Amino acid sequence: SLLTLALSCGSVAFHRGDYLYEHQNYDEAVANLEKAVKENPRNVKFKTTLVRARLAASQWHFERGKMAAAHGDYDVAVREIQKALEYDPGNQYAKDTMNSIIQTLRDKQAKERAALPSIDQMEKKADKDLGVPRLDPASNIPIVLKFTNTPLKTILDAISKASGINILYDDRVEQNKPISVDFSKEPLATVLDYLMMQTKNFYKVIDAHTLIIVPDTRQKREEYQDQVIRTFYLSNADAKDVFQLVRSIIQARKMAMNQDLNSITIEDTPENVAIAQRIIEDNDKSKGEVAVDVELLEVDDNKLRNLGIDLSSHTFTVGPKMNVTTDSNGNATGIGTGPPIPLNELGRTLSHGLMVFPVPNIIVNMLLTDTNSRVLAKPQVRVMEGQKASVHIGEKIPIPTSNQYLNTTGGTSNYTPITSFTYQDIGVKVELEPRVHHNKEVTIKLKADVSSIAGYVASSSPLTPAQPILGTREISTTIRLEDGETSMLAGLIQRNDQRAISGLPGVAEIPLLRRLFSNTQDTNTTTDVVMLLTPHIVRMPNITEQDLKPLWVGTTDRPMVEGFDNPFGPSPSPSESQAAPKPAAEGEKPKQGGDNGNQDQGANENARLLVSPTNINVKPGDPVVLNLVLLGGKDLKSLHANVNFPADALQFQGADEGTFFQMGGAPTTFTAPQSGPGLLSLDAGRADSGGSSGAGLVARLKFTASKPGEARINIGGLTATSVSGGAVSLPPVFAVVTVQQPPSQPPAAGTGKGG
């Protein structure tokens, strides 16, 4: 029957899974047991065995994950612990370990990102190496000269002998032109500048020990002056704006911009490129950024009136009174200059029109904390300086549009109205464009549009809906507020008039008697919708003191930048001029010293030996192979290791040399003799004068399992030798080999215990 067949299939999967579970093949065991439980969901024994197998599989993967994490192999560790949590989601220890590994990976990635140079650091490094020829700084010696009516060549020859610089001349230079000079301990760069200015020449550096004197004419400058091409990558400013600015100031002959990369490329003289660099750096600043709190309140008109009465008019004033100026059509155009508004007239003043003015924070707090005030909306808009932001607080209302269509049916013609709807935004619309000032004030270009339904126009036909009447008030103005100061937009008055009549039915309707037998109650409610705008400066333009300093750029015919036109390279700093150990050239063996061992240990602080695999399950007679892999080595010449293992459980069959010390095709030495029962002495190294770095296989140890039980292979006494002769100690490692009893044959299908 089908039931018997199902039980038979479930029994096969169960016995297969149970067999694999006993032999520690946990993944396949769980897969078979899950299949058995799925086919026999009510079998308690199947479920219990599945739970045990899942826990065992979880623990096995968890241990592998911890071991991989200990060796720094975090990818394998995450994969193994994830597998462990799939089998046992409630393993809190595994969850904590996973979180710790993930945090370690994040810290490692953060350090790697921090180690990457920023664009500013790369630009500073590029500035130091523009490829411009420089004279040897050692030649910039103090010069003492005193000549009267002496030819220029004679003076320059004396300078050449004193400084060791070779001086060449263009064929148009007047070498015999007599001049008089008197210098006392002036730097060579200053002396050359004075001489060139006096004789209307300029010089061009050819190399570190040679320069040429050239007449200072436009033709000669174009002939001798070098050209530089440099690309500037902008981080904040728009390339198009900066492009126009640079071109208008330095009038560069060749400029181009790449809007996709937001970069500018310039080809010009080194001096002009240096000037352009300063202009770009001064203008490529982060823009200011403002967060504007927009609060829409519904305020009781009586509260506004009481607020004005409670606060003395002698203490606070806001204004100017009736401060919205209008044009000939009555449209608001800005803020006027009338007298200030006393606070005890605030409610009455607001009822006359749409107002925009700054208010004290005490009034804002009272409005926000009053129980009669209701916050309708409270969005926050964050916008960069010079950009527009818009806020719409309201709703969309349908505007009906009806068209009459002639419908002819059965010889009878009728006009049928068909109504379509368009949707119109009503409420409060605000457009903001801020500008941040350096005194921490904010100018906001404000455009406000307040609209509401003022009523309805009834249709002449009962088949068409009434048309709404939209009331709109607009204001466009510019206000300037301090950081955190609030501006209030008010004047949207809503009035609700109600009349309630109570009395005797019928009698209350008689004109003369209703005053005696009825009661009339009139209720007038007025509310004002108030919008508060409060700017908060999020970011200021990063203007520094260096940006405010003037830049001296020389003359029109001879542009220059201070510090850039120095013909000599940068002078060494005192720390750089002190004696420092010279690094050994590649392949050269450094001199032996007492601290070489410490230096080698520091260079190889991350070096370690890895054993793979660390856990092995075998049967008697099966081969056991261990790979010894060296990681993080630096200029290592040899490695020694002592290997201990239980001789009754394992038999040593030999060792194969790895490839680590064979890097570069170097000759090597390798020995792994068995010095006694369960003892090996392994030595591997290079036979040349070089060293190996990085990671690689050192050796492969081969054993044969002989006796059931657990055998631990310990690898200690790990000592590496660097090319300098220093010793590097490495931490010991081990591997565990489990030799199991020969398994019995799995039971045939449909037989055995269970189910």
Side-chain angles (χ1 to χ4, degrees), residues 179 181 183 186-200 203:
I179 59 173
V181 295
F183 296 107
E186 292 289 343
L188 177 57
T190 304
V191 172
L192 289 175
D193 287 339
Y194 284 141
L195 288 175
M196 297 303 102
M197 186 183 303
Q198 191 173 354
T199 59
K200 297 188 184 303
Y203 63 90

Side-chain angles (χ1 to χ4, degrees), residues 174-365:
E174 298 181 18
Q175 302 182 29
N176 295 322
K177 182 178 181 179
I179 59 173
S180 299
V181 295
D182 188 357
F183 296 107
S184 178
K185 295 184 179 180
E186 292 289 343
L188 177 57
T190 304
V191 172
L192 289 175
D193 287 339
Y194 284 141
L195 288 175
M196 297 303 102
M197 186 183 303
Q198 191 173 354
T199 59
K200 297 188 184 303
N201 294 315
F202 73 94
Y203 63 90
K204 172 182 170 58
V205 177
I206 305 299
D207 55 39
H209 302 285
T210 308
L211 58 82
I212 184 171
I213 309 297
V214 184
D216 194 0
T217 63
R218 183 179 297 274
Q219 179 182 358
K220 288 295 182 181
R221 280 196 173 271
E222 292 179 354
E223 180 181 345
Y224 280 93
Q225 212 161 29
D226 293 320
Q227 297 290 303
V228 175
I229 298 177
R230 184 166 184 184
T231 300
F232 298 92
Y233 296 92
L234 308 183
S235 300
N236 302 289
D238 186 78
K240 186 176 180 180
D241 298 334
V242 178
F243 179 85
Q244 297 295 337
L245 175 65
V246 174
R247 168 164 282 183
S248 63
I249 293 179
I250 68 172
Q251 298 179 353
R253 288 169 289 186
K254 294 182 180 180
M255 286 183 60
M257 65 175 170
N258 186 336
Q259 290 185 320
D260 293 334
L261 293 178
N262 202 40
S263 63
I264 298 175
T265 301
I266 303 175
E267 178 184 358
D268 213 309
T269 64
E271 292 78 13
N272 280 341
V273 172
I275 296 172
Q277 177 184 353
R278 176 64 185 273
I279 296 173
I280 291 173
E281 290 175 350
D282 289 350
N283 288 274
D284 187 25
K285 301 293 183 181
S286 59
K287 294 183 179 180
E289 197 168 353
V290 179
V292 182
D293 291 331
V294 182
E295 297 179 88
L296 194 64
L297 306 177
E298 188 179 65
V299 185
D300 187 356
D301 183 62
N302 294 327
K303 179 61 183 177
L304 288 178
R305 187 177 294 109
N306 293 336
L307 187 63
I309 294 173
D310 293 341
L311 297 178
S312 171
S313 61
H314 300 289
T315 305
F316 301 106
T317 58
V318 294
K321 187 174 183 179
M322 295 303 295
N323 63 342
V324 178
T325 58
T326 59
D327 55 17
S328 58
N329 297 324
N331 297 320
T333 59
I335 298 179
T337 56
I341 305 172
L343 286 180
N344 55 7
E345 298 181 13
L346 180 61
R348 184 169 66 255
T349 302
L350 294 181
S351 64
H352 288 83
L354 191 63
M355 314 293 290
V356 179
F357 49 81
V359 296
N361 287 336
I362 187 174
I363 296 181
V364 176
N365 294 333

Side-chain angles (χ1 to χ4, degrees), residues 290-291 439-442 481-486 534-538:
V290 179
N439 60 349
K440 294 187 177 180
E441 292 186 352
V442 181
L481 302 171
E482 295 181 357
D483 183 18
E485 186 180 7
T486 301
T534 307
H536 301 281
I537 298 176
V538 178

